[in-house]
Amino acid sequence: MDLPRIFTIREGDHRIHNPLTEAKLAALGASLRLAPGTRVLDLASGSGEMLCTWARDLGFTGTGVDISTVFTERARARARALGVADRVEFVHGDAVGHVADEPVDLAACVGATWIGNGVAGTVELLDRSLRPGGLMLIGEPYWRQPPPDEETVKACHATSAGDFLLLPELIGQFQDLGCDVVEMTLADQDSWDRYTAAQWLGMRRWLDAHPDDELAPRVREELSTEPARYARYGREYLGWGVFALMKR
């Protein structure tokens, strides 16, 4: 049980596996106005940056669950480096269907709603771990503007235009699911650049170090095509945000 290796090659230098910068991640945590001691469940926690820095800066405690052995080990190392290993733990496991042993104050899935087969299922899954009156965080892509053609859709790694909604429609979907949207932090083009463009240098250095690896042709293809594709399509059409929700 693990992520395909291409993900750890592509995002191997990332601490945050989504298009939020460190400043935006910190602003998101502060915006929730939660007390020290807040208990967090972070599903698909990646390299643990959100949980670790919020434990350090805001006094939160909690558990992260992620299917990647590489990212889970990095999360544990990050917790030790920040001096919060006594407050947070990271579990290697499949976040699909994972429910906390005891209700938490904040349940999060930031950028991996496939664990619930979409937004609706992820809301239902997070709610199963949440105490009454608790907060959910969901990170999700949206269209910044309607994609004009199928080429744009595919270049943004969607299978159809219906995979993502426009921002007002996404907020409407949360509301239709019985949630109040009580905060949001959105990526902008600069933070998308830092997330996406940082992968290119990582891929190039990996290629230089592993020219004979079986994945080298795929990584070479991505490095040759993704910069122009991102500049032409992703940067203009694809948005991303984290939304704080409370069940009515």
Side-chain angles (χ1 to χ4, degrees):
M1 182 174 60
D2 211 335
L3 272 183
R5 198 158 55 97
I6 187 65
F7 287 93
T8 55
I9 294 171
R10 190 185 294 127
E11 300 196 19
D13 294 328
H14 287 359
R15 284 181 176 164
I16 302 171
H17 300 285
N18 61 62
L20 291 189
T21 60
E22 292 180 9
K24 283 182 177 287
L25 187 63
L28 170 62
S31 76
L32 303 178
R33 289 172 273 172
L34 294 169
T38 289
R39 295 164 298 170
V40 181
L41 174 66
D42 186 10
L43 297 182
S45 51
S47 295
E49 190 71 0
M50 184 176 81
L51 193 51
C52 288
T53 56
W54 289 4
R56 177 194 64 189
D57 300 336
L58 302 171
F60 293 178
T61 64
T63 300
V65 180
D66 199 273
I67 199 171
S68 170
T69 53
V70 171
F71 292 159
T72 300
E73 284 304 314
R74 289 180 182 176
R76 292 168 178 163
R78 185 64 168 155
R80 292 191 296 269
L82 295 185
V84 296
D86 59 332
R87 281 177 269 164
V88 298
E89 66 170 341
F90 293 95
V91 176
H92 173 241
D94 193 346
V96 175
H98 184 96
V99 178
D101 294 334
E102 298 181 0
V104 299
D105 306 302
L106 175 64
C109 175
V110 178
T113 55
W114 57 82
I115 70 169
N117 198 30
V119 167
T122 302
V123 167
E124 191 277 332
L125 175 60
L126 294 178
D127 189 49
R128 291 167 61 193
S129 293
L130 202 60
R131 67 163 176 80
L135 279 168
M136 300 181 203
L137 289 181
I138 290 186
E140 183 71 1
Y142 59 87
W143 294 117
R144 297 181 67 235
Q145 53 184 311
D149 50 39
E150 189 68 18
E151 184 178 4
T152 302
V153 169
K154 291 182 178 178
C156 292
H157 306 290
T159 57
S160 72
D163 284 357
F164 309 136
L165 302 174
L166 294 169
L167 180 57
E169 295 170 352
L170 178 57
I171 291 173
Q173 182 183 23
F174 293 135
Q175 294 170 330
D176 290 343
L177 292 169
C179 297
D180 289 322
V181 179
V182 297
E183 257 293 358
M184 68 180 186
T185 298
L186 304 182
D188 55 25
Q189 287 180 311
D190 289 341
S191 58
W192 264 112
D193 291 348
R194 298 290 17 94
Y195 171 61
T196 303
Q199 297 174 17
W200 307 335
L201 180 58
M203 288 192 290
R204 173 53 197 267
R205 287 178 170 165
W206 183 90
L207 279 171
D208 289 346
H210 305 88
D212 299 321
D213 191 281
E214 63 180 0
L215 287 179
R218 178 173 176 180
V219 176
R220 164 46 58 195
E221 173 67 16
E222 285 195 21
L223 184 57
S224 299
T225 59
E226 282 301 314
R229 178 158 47 188
Y230 167 71
R232 182 174 293 114
Y233 300 108
R235 196 173 193 271
E236 298 302 318
Y237 289 94
L238 195 59
W240 194 86
V242 182
F243 303 87
L245 314 176
M246 296 181 72
K247 292 296 290 289
R248 298 196 190 102

